Amino acid sequence: GGFSYYLLVLSYAPDFCDQPQGNKDPRECGAGRHIGFVVHGLWPQGEQSRGPEFCMPASPVSQTIVQATLRYIPTESLIQHEWAAHGTCSGLSAADYFTALGKARDSVSLPRDLSQPGQKLELSPAQVESKFAAANPRFPQTAFRTSCYRNGELEEARVCLNKDLSP
């Protein structure tokens, strides 16, 4: 793939589910769910650009891969979308891309108080990034970034990884 590094994007389910727009699947946003971060994707990125998207026509991901990936990404539709939008730009097969996605996610420890929140937290982006850095001491502190919705709610935590998935 013609890209410089990967961005592991972890969506923060409590704040996503509170947003008025978007498709709210009950597997992620249903009553009684206490999900913290879920994988939104593993995105190839350019050094000075957002990174390539939709690089080639995508065949549907097999049900075997979908079933194995549901432990990271909560819905089949998002799995199919991530393959079409980002996986096709990785230079990997669907099986290898989703294996890499799982390996990337498994390499990142979630801050304990953010992984299954029992109450609403008010933290700055810098505090969230610091919590990720503290939970992942082998990563450079600058490997973690956050993005927020316009209303200030946490949208995502983003983790920079080398093409070999190392910190």
Side-chain angles (χ1 to χ4, degrees):
F3 63 97
S4 303
Y5 65 97
Y6 282 113
L7 197 61
L8 176 65
V9 183
L10 303 172
S11 176
Y12 194 58
D15 290 350
F16 168 75
C17 296
D18 283 347
Q19 298 305 305
Q21 73 282 357
N23 181 16
K24 307 300 193 272
D25 190 288
R27 290 171 286 188
E28 184 174 0
C29 298
R33 301 293 301 204
H34 294 287
I35 297 174
F37 288 95
V38 298
V39 175
H40 182 160
L42 183 64
W43 301 350
Q45 296 291 290
E47 199 61 50
Q48 300 297 323
S49 66
R50 182 183 160 126
E53 292 183 348
F54 298 99
C55 292
M56 62 181 60
S59 298
V61 176
S62 74
Q63 279 304 302
T64 302
I65 295 170
V66 167
Q67 290 306 310
T69 306
L70 284 171
R71 69 182 281 221
Y72 300 107
I73 297 178
T75 65
E76 291 183 28
S77 61
L78 183 54
I79 291 168
Q80 297 293 348
H81 169 79
E82 288 305 306
W83 168 243
H86 305 288
T88 60
C89 300
S90 69
L92 302 172
S93 68
D96 289 343
Y97 172 75
F98 286 105
T99 296
L101 182 145
K103 181 179 177 184
R105 171 56 194 91
D106 291 343
S107 74
V108 176
S109 296
L110 298 176
R112 182 169 302 200
D113 56 339
L114 299 179
S115 63
Q116 290 188 330
Q119 63 188 28
K120 188 160 181 82
L121 301 172
E122 291 196 22
L123 302 168
S124 70
Q127 287 173 307
V128 173
E129 292 162 9
S130 290
K131 286 179 176 288
F132 266 91
N136 295 278
R138 59 186 197 90
F139 281 74
Q141 202 161 3
T142 57
F144 304 98
R145 291 287 181 261
T146 55
S147 67
C148 297
Y149 293 105
R150 286 194 172 124
N151 64 1
E153 301 277 330
L154 178 62
E155 181 178 15
E156 298 167 336
R158 298 175 175 190
V159 184
C160 296
L161 299 164
N162 291 311
K163 286 172 101 171
D164 67 359
L165 304 178
S166 65

